[in-house]
């Protein structure tokens, strides 16, 4: 039984969420709070397994409450955004930076066509986050590499690198921020990123990353040129891929591994177009999206990297990559940034 604490300043939304959760026999709502101060007291008193957290509340907002909870009683937190305007979405990512695990829009009412899907997604996310062991943030420092076999960098360095592909899911936004903030403004390689997230959040994700990244970050568009030193993020609900000639290709083909955009689609296209001239990085996330395609890239001579277990919120995707032998290098986030910088200096 997953014990949930609902934090929202709207009494009607608290009741709506309580009914949604109570319909699932695996969830028990143990308490509700109307602001961040009430949430702090409730967390100490009730010891919930998961907290759903509103952003804008009186006395103490969701961002400050998240910070305080993660400092005093670390608990998995799911941010629920009621308004997908840029400011609120940005604040949602700041809450993830403070320790929240995921951000979702609040489900629409029963009369909306997306109601059941959104409620199902929220319930599934809450159950998943209940299984996550909340860990302290890793400090910004030089990474420690765990090499699973003798390095093959000598062979890989013979091929000029042209692109970096990154895939991530749960826990990925903060890791991607860590990696990008560790790169120099003169970084010469383009980066293509697939981050699984709820619809409506990618624009705020770009703005949030732009605060700490020395590189320009934007949402990829159909047919645009892949430019050195630019970060291209997959848009909502389309696959991000590459095509011959160094241009972006977006596709609305069916989801892969239940996901669109999928890491698998990106990695497969990078393997086809760039092969040994690519670097591919698979980060924290549930499931196995991208693991087999990372192996395909490694077999073609690409540099392959997976995030290490200790820094992963969920070790599903990188763990599967390690299991199948797809990752030549296993690193924590700061170490990934360091390795990418090393590879870029070889290019320069």
């Amino acid at each position: 039984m997953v014990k949930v604490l609902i934090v929202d300043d709207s009494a009607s939304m608290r009741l709506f969420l309580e009914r949604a959760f109570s319909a699932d026999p695996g969830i028990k709502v143990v308490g509700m709070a109307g602001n961040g101060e009430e949430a702090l007291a409730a967390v100490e008193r009730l010891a919930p397994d998961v907290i759903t957290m509103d952003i804008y509340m009186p006395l103490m907002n969701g961002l400050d409450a998240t910070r305080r909870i993660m400092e005093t009683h670390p608990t998995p937190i799911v941010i629920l955004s009621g308004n997908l305007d840029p400011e609120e979405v940005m604040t949602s990512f700041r809450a993830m930076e403070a320790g929240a695990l995921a951000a979702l829009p609040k489900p629409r009412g029963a009369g909306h066509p997306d109601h059941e899907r959104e409620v199902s997604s929220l319930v599934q996310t809450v159950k998943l986050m209940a299984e996550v062991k909340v860990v302290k943030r890793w400090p910004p420092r030089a990474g420690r590499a765990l090499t699973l076999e003798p390095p093959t960098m000598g062979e890989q360095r013979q091929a000029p690198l042209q692109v970096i592909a990154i895939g991530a899911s749960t826990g990925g936004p903060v890791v991607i921020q860590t990696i990008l903030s560790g790169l120099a403004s003169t970084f010469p390689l383009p980066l293509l990123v697939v981050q699984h997230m709820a619809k409506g959040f990618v624009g705020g994700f770009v703005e949030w990353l732009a605060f700490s990244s020395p590189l320009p970050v934007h949402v990829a568009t159909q047919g645009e040129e892949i430019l050195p030193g630019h970060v291209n993020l997959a848009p909502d609900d389309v696959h991000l891929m590459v095509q011959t000639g160094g241009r972006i290709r977006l596709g609305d083909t069916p989801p892969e591994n239940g996901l669109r955009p999928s890491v698998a689609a990106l990695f497969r296209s990078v393997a086809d177009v760039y092969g040994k001239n690519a670097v591919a990085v698979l980060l924290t996330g549930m499931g196995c999206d991208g693991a087999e395609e990372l192996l395909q890239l490694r077999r073609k001579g690409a540099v392959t990297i997976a995030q290490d277990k200790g820094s992963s919120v969920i070790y599903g995707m990188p763990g599967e990559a390690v299991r199948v032998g797809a990752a030549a290098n296993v690193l924590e986030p700061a170490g990934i940034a360091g390795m990418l910088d090393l590879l870029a200096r070889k290019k320069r």
Side-chain angles (χ1 to χ4, degrees):
M1 184 71 69
V2 177
K3 298 182 296 180
V4 175
L5 171 66
I6 298 170
V7 184
D8 199 293
D9 67 334
S10 166
S12 60
M13 179 54 66
R14 293 196 299 269
L15 180 61
F16 172 80
L17 293 173
E18 181 184 30
R19 288 174 175 170
F21 289 134
S22 297
D24 189 292
I27 295 179
K28 180 181 181 180
V29 176
V30 294
M32 294 186 280
N35 59 62
E37 289 186 356
E38 292 179 6
L40 289 172
V43 169
E44 184 173 2
R45 184 176 72 253
L46 301 171
D49 298 316
V50 180
I51 302 164
T52 64
M53 183 71 72
D54 190 17
I55 290 293
Y56 295 132
M57 297 180 291
L59 300 181
M60 183 184 292
N61 62 35
L63 173 59
D64 291 337
T66 297
R67 286 174 175 153
R68 291 282 299 278
I69 290 168
M70 298 310 293
E71 290 171 358
T72 57
H73 297 86
T75 306
I77 295 174
V78 177
I79 299 295
L80 294 184
S81 177
N83 183 358
L84 295 179
D85 64 58
E87 183 179 354
E88 183 162 346
V89 173
M90 273 279 292
T91 305
S92 298
F93 283 106
R94 290 175 63 197
M96 294 177 73
E97 187 177 3
L101 297 179
L104 294 173
K106 292 179 182 178
R108 267 77 67 93
H112 195 278
D114 290 331
H115 168 75
E116 291 188 6
R117 177 186 61 80
E118 291 176 348
V119 168
S120 176
S121 176
L122 174 58
V123 168
Q124 181 182 22
T125 299
V126 164
K127 286 183 171 181
L128 172 64
M129 295 305 104
E131 300 175 5
V132 175
K133 181 181 179 182
V134 180
V135 296
K136 293 181 180 180
R137 312 302 309 197
W138 52 87
R141 55 189 168 84
R144 299 184 305 273
L146 169 64
T147 303
L148 300 184
E149 57 184 66
T152 57
M153 291 293 293
E155 297 175 4
Q156 293 166 340
R157 285 173 185 161
Q158 294 174 9
L161 296 176
Q162 297 176 342
V163 72
I164 296 169
I166 299 175
S169 189
T170 307
V174 174
V175 180
I176 292 169
Q177 182 202 45
T178 300
I179 293 170
L180 296 184
S181 64
L183 303 178
S185 60
T186 55
F187 192 80
L189 297 172
L191 297 99
L192 308 173
V193 180
V194 167
Q195 166 66 57
H196 303 154
M197 64 176 61
K199 290 182 182 179
F201 281 83
V202 68
F205 185 39
V206 167
E207 292 188 26
W208 177 66
L209 289 175
F211 275 103
S212 57
S213 171
L215 303 175
V217 184
H218 57 96
V219 179
T221 58
Q222 183 72 276
E224 74 172 295
E225 185 179 359
I226 300 172
L227 298 173
H230 283 243
V231 183
N232 297 272
L233 271 71
D236 280 337
D237 200 31
V238 293
H239 294 304
L240 170 63
M241 296 167 286
V242 296
Q243 58 189 357
T244 303
R247 293 191 177 274
I248 296 290
R249 179 164 62 93
L250 302 178
D252 59 358
T253 52
E256 298 189 32
N257 303 306
L259 299 157
R260 191 174 64 197
S262 76
V263 181
L266 172 62
F267 281 6
R268 186 169 57 251
S269 72
V270 168
D272 291 342
V273 174
Y274 291 98
K276 64 183 179 181
N277 302 113
V279 182
V281 184
L282 194 57
L283 304 175
T284 174
M286 179 181 66
C288 60
D289 189 27
E292 288 294 335
E293 290 73 19
L294 191 70
L295 179 59
Q296 180 183 350
L297 277 155
R298 186 178 186 187
R299 287 171 173 164
K300 290 197 171 188
V303 179
T304 58
I305 305 169
Q307 186 177 348
D308 74 324
K309 185 175 183 179
S311 67
S312 296
V313 169
I314 297 178
Y315 196 51
M317 287 160 47
E320 179 65 11
V322 171
R323 188 189 71 79
V324 300
N329 307 277
V330 180
L331 300 161
E332 62 183 2
I336 295 172
M339 184 170 183
L340 295 181
D341 180 67
L342 175 64
L343 292 167
R345 277 192 272 124
K346 297 291 181 182
K347 176 181 174 63
R348 291 197 293 266

